[in-house]
Amino acid sequence: MVQPILQVKNLEVEFVTDDGIVRAVNDISFDLYPGETLGIVGESGSGKSVANLTILGLIPQPPGHVKGGEVLFAEQDLLKLSQRQFRTIRGKRIAMIFQDPMTALNPFLTIQDQLIEVSMLHLGHTRAAAIQHAVELLELVGIPAAASRITEYPHQFSGGMRQRVMIAMALSCEPDILIADEPTTALDVTIQAQILDLLKAMQDKRGMAIIFITHDLGVVASICDRVLVMYGGRKVEQTDTKTLFAAARHPYTLGLLHSAPRWDQPQLTRLQSIEGQPPDMMNLPAGCAFAPRCQWKTDECLAAVPELVSIGSEFSEGSHVFACIHADQIQQAGSTSREELPHA
Amino acid sequence: MQVLVFLLKRLGWMLITVWVVFTLSFFLMRAIPGGPLNGERVLSESVRAQLEQRYNLDDPLYVQYTTHLWNTMCFDFGPSYKLQDFTVNEVLAQGFPVSAALGILGMTFALLLGMTAGVVSAVRRTSIYDFSFMLLATLGIAIPSFVLASMAIVLFVFYFQIFPAAGWGELKQIVLPAMCLGAPFAGYIARLTRTGMLEVLSNDYIRTAYAKGLSTRTVILRHALRGSILPVVSYLGPACAGILTGSLVLEKIFAIPGMGSHFIEAALQRDFTLGMGALLTYTVLLYVMNTLVDLSYSFIDPRVVLE
């Protein structure tokens, strides 16, 4: 039995603002196993980024506030660490790359300055050794003429190159976990594919676990082993990637699947959108957060937040967790094909 | 190379600027009523004619203008009309280093205090430090320097008896006026630094720096400070002009033999040559400061290209 490398248990994070309390993350739990890629999917404001920033202790406090839960890593609860202890984990054992490589690098410092400080801090490198290390990393992530380009500034790099630099920076100390927060969203499609390939290659080489935050199901299909779907700050569905695409059991997941084009469907099917707006995180509805937008909604849905139901054991193929009382109906609806357009 | 071209270009523009300032001031000074020979004593015709001849005041205006311009180009500002036996060059050579020393000390004080207070206020936002520093900054900006100077004299000269009341020459004597001079600038700089720092701290790359495991101190000093001092740097140009014009009040109060009092008296007494000398000195100084500010932009922010 493989032990999870990271366990998030019942994490609750809220932001206290002048207008009220924003409950960004509600009772999120998941395990991350060594070497796997866990996708976290959800729309903007669903709490996926906040949950992961909390893991690294990076949400600004105040206004942010961790209300409850545990983040277990290396036999300790990260949420209980002092800032000083936390710094020995950030960047060294858990590293993060961010959405927009245009703004995530410091425009005032050279690539070299930004790369060497990580290994000088965590690995005790001398400056010369750190530069050597940094050049090797840049070559590893595919930056041509790394030795000469390393003294340039971020604005002299293209978007894709900057994201490669970010990845090199994150890999600097060979972390156990890499949290990638929409690393391809700000890049154009060909560069996206390159970055995904790079991440996969790095994972094969280094064996780290990746938490991949995205709202792009195409990206999920190409890189993730397992997927966790978030809605309204809650986990609504979690399963392996294959099962998710074949037999989604939550109406939100199904909505996401139906709103993305698929090559295995007839080309003339109509893409469906999810009606309505994402929930107001300040006043979440009493029952299922998705109910107002759900075509299967019944009175039961509005009464209480649906419990997470789990089928199959955690490791077996097809293990599936979902939070919907109409799950069977939805799975059936998902298996019938989409509305076909008449040929013109 | 790029820097050299930039500096040469700026030098060219400076010469033009100085010429324009010279021409405007030359005619403005002569356009206002009165002249250097209008004093309390009524001069007899013959004395007046002799004096006018001595100072070339009897020449037609365009001759005066061209000779004065030529002499100025040779760095000769001529004799002072009012301070007898002194050339303007001598007066400036005496006064300028004093004013400059006062200004540099005052500015250093303002930068040290202002930037420290600004950074602390931004990092510990809404804390007691933030509130007290910003209150002090507002007071520093609001209180006129002569009020501040009087209070400082009462407090540090008469009550605590640490510093002498006035004079020039010793380090002890420069402390009080420099602090009074720097106080309002420290206030502005503190506010600018705080705003700049808060803006920088909200940037994504600060989060990246924290995600690397860097300590707050490293993040602030290495990653945030450089971006946050840009507003302060652009303020330094005008601030240097302000610190020079602001110094004349303090030079009076603390009896400092600087340039400020000469400047005022030259204007009041229609001392054309001394007034012109002081004015051009300030012009060049301000121009040099602004050029340095532009130059330092490109050193601080690599994205800035010198033109």
Side-chain angles (χ1 to χ4, degrees), chain A residues 53 56 58 86-88 90-92 94-96 98-100 103-109 113-115 117-118 121-122 153 155 166 169 181, chain B residues 125-126 200 203-219 222-224 226-228 230 299-305:
Chain A
L53 286 173
L56 268 188
L58 287 179
F86 225 138
R87 289 204 293 269
T88 63
R90 278 187 209 135
K92 187 179 187 196
I94 306 179
M96 191 156 182
F98 297 97
Q99 177 172 352
D100 190 354
T103 57
L105 288 169
N106 190 332
F108 297 103
L109 300 175
D113 288 337
Q114 301 186 54
L115 270 169
E117 63 184 358
V118 193
L121 176 72
H122 294 302
Y153 290 93
H155 70 274
M166 282 299 293
M169 205 145 70
D181 189 351
Chain B
R125 187 166 43 143
T126 68
V200 169
N203 274 321
D204 283 355
Y205 62 80
I206 297 300
R207 193 177 56 186
T208 309
Y210 277 117
K212 286 178 186 173
L214 300 175
S215 65
T216 308
R217 213 179 66 157
T218 316
V219 173
R222 196 183 300 161
H223 285 268
R226 245 171 112 165
S228 64
L230 280 177
F299 284 114
I300 294 170
D301 190 339
R303 291 166 297 181
V304 173
V305 180

Side-chain angles (χ1 to χ4, degrees), chain B residues 143-153 253:
Chain B
I143 297 177
S145 57
F146 58 90
V147 177
L148 195 66
S150 320
M151 294 195 311
I153 288 175
I253 294 176

Side-chain angles (χ1 to χ4, degrees), chain B residues 42-118:
Chain B
V42 182
L43 301 173
S44 67
E45 266 317 299
S46 57
V47 174
R48 192 184 180 84
Q50 254 183 337
L51 277 173
E52 283 194 344
Q53 202 185 3
R54 183 176 164 210
Y55 291 120
N56 300 326
L57 287 168
D58 54 350
D59 288 337
L61 206 54
Y62 72 90
V63 178
Q64 285 187 41
Y65 174 75
T66 41
T67 45
H68 199 164
L69 183 61
W70 175 251
N71 289 339
T72 304
M73 272 154 59
C74 303
F75 297 103
D76 176 13
F77 293 113
S80 166
Y81 291 153
K82 287 290 171 184
L83 302 167
Q84 254 119 48
D85 303 331
F86 282 98
T87 64
V88 172
N89 291 43
E90 284 167 347
V91 176
L92 293 181
Q94 272 179 14
F96 183 73
V98 175
S99 282
L102 186 63
I104 289 170
L105 219 73
M107 211 52 182
T108 312
F109 164 75
L111 278 172
L112 284 179
L113 188 73
M115 286 184 46
T116 315

